[in-house]
Amino acid sequence: MRRLPMIKLGQLLSLLLAPWHLLKKLFCKQAAADKKLSDDIVARMLRTSFPAAVDFDIKRVGTNAGGLLIGAIETTSQAVAQAIQFLLDRPDLLAKAVAAAKSDDTKAFDGIVWEAMRFVPIAPYMFRKSAVEYTVAKGTDRATTIPPGTYVLPLTLSAMFDPKAFESPEEFIPERNWYHYFHFGFGSHDCWANTSAWC
């Protein structure tokens, strides 16, 4: 008889705590499902507490998420694939690249790769936002002034075949000076720190 009150009390507690156990079970199940679904870059940005100086609010998270859809191309693998394909289509250049790779002269190999990428750049054009006022074709009848904050579309592939910038642009010359190339545009590439600067 002494056990009966304890059993009844246990049944009452189970009854009273049933909603809590149900909520706990549902919460744990949902948390497990969320964990499987939320290990992505957007969820990580939402979970991160950025310092106030970074100015990374919810609007910025959305901007970055959208930018990732168009700007998160893994450019190294793309550059390698395009340079290799370019060389595979030109056995004489491929033989020079292989010989340069086997030698201790990394400069010769690098020159071949950079020049190959001039013909097949990873980005034949780029979106950019002008930082300052600039006059294109200054001193000509087609001079055009671009105000700061204007979105422009520089055609890097076309520019790398401009005879004013490249001597004999149609020829494959691996010994060109690297600073003539426009593979990645010019200036700071701080896409993650400043999403207004398009990658």
Side-chain angles (χ1 to χ4, degrees):
M1 287 302 266
R2 285 181 291 175
R3 294 180 60 198
L4 184 61
M6 295 301 291
I7 291 170
K8 291 294 182 185
L9 182 60
Q11 287 175 329
L12 181 61
L13 282 173
S14 292
L15 188 63
L16 291 173
L17 293 174
W20 163 250
H21 288 299
L22 180 63
L23 283 173
K24 183 179 174 186
K25 186 176 180 180
L26 290 172
F27 178 76
C28 290
K29 187 183 270 189
Q30 185 61 47
D34 287 348
K35 189 174 181 182
K36 287 180 184 175
L37 296 175
S38 65
D39 193 22
D40 57 56
I41 190 67
V42 175
R44 290 176 190 178
M45 285 190 290
L46 290 170
R47 284 193 303 261
T48 303
S49 297
F50 295 98
V54 175
D55 189 28
F56 208 95
D57 59 9
I58 191 69
K59 184 178 176 186
R60 190 98 178 262
V61 169
T63 302
N64 266 266
L68 287 169
L69 295 174
I70 57 173
I73 302 165
E74 208 296 290
T75 52
T76 303
S77 61
Q78 183 180 353
V80 169
Q82 288 181 200
I84 289 173
Q85 186 59 56
F86 179 85
L87 295 171
L88 286 172
D89 292 340
R90 293 156 185 84
D92 57 323
L93 295 178
L94 179 61
K96 288 180 183 177
V98 169
K102 289 179 179 179
S103 76
D104 291 332
D105 187 5
T106 57
K107 187 177 178 182
F109 180 77
D110 291 349
I112 292 169
V113 173
W114 284 108
E115 183 69 353
M117 288 176 57
R118 183 173 71 88
F119 285 80
V120 286
I122 57 168
Y125 60 88
M126 302 177 204
F127 287 99
R128 290 290 184 265
K129 187 176 181 181
S130 61
V132 296
E133 182 176 287
Y134 185 80
T135 302
V136 178
K138 197 175 200 172
T140 69
D141 58 353
R142 64 182 194 284
T144 304
T145 300
I146 300 171
T150 303
Y151 287 102
V152 294
L153 183 70
L155 304 175
T156 51
L157 176 59
S158 175
M160 288 193 287
F161 282 83
D162 183 346
K164 291 180 182 173
F166 292 87
E167 184 181 335
S168 306
E170 298 299 327
E171 290 182 36
F172 189 91
I173 305 172
E175 297 78 22
R176 293 184 194 276
N177 290 319
W178 66 268
Y179 56 80
H180 284 156
Y181 295 122
F182 301 113
H183 297 306
F184 304 108
F186 177 79
S188 175
H189 289 66
D190 52 0
C191 309
W192 302 113
N194 181 4
T195 53
S196 63
W198 291 77
C199 310

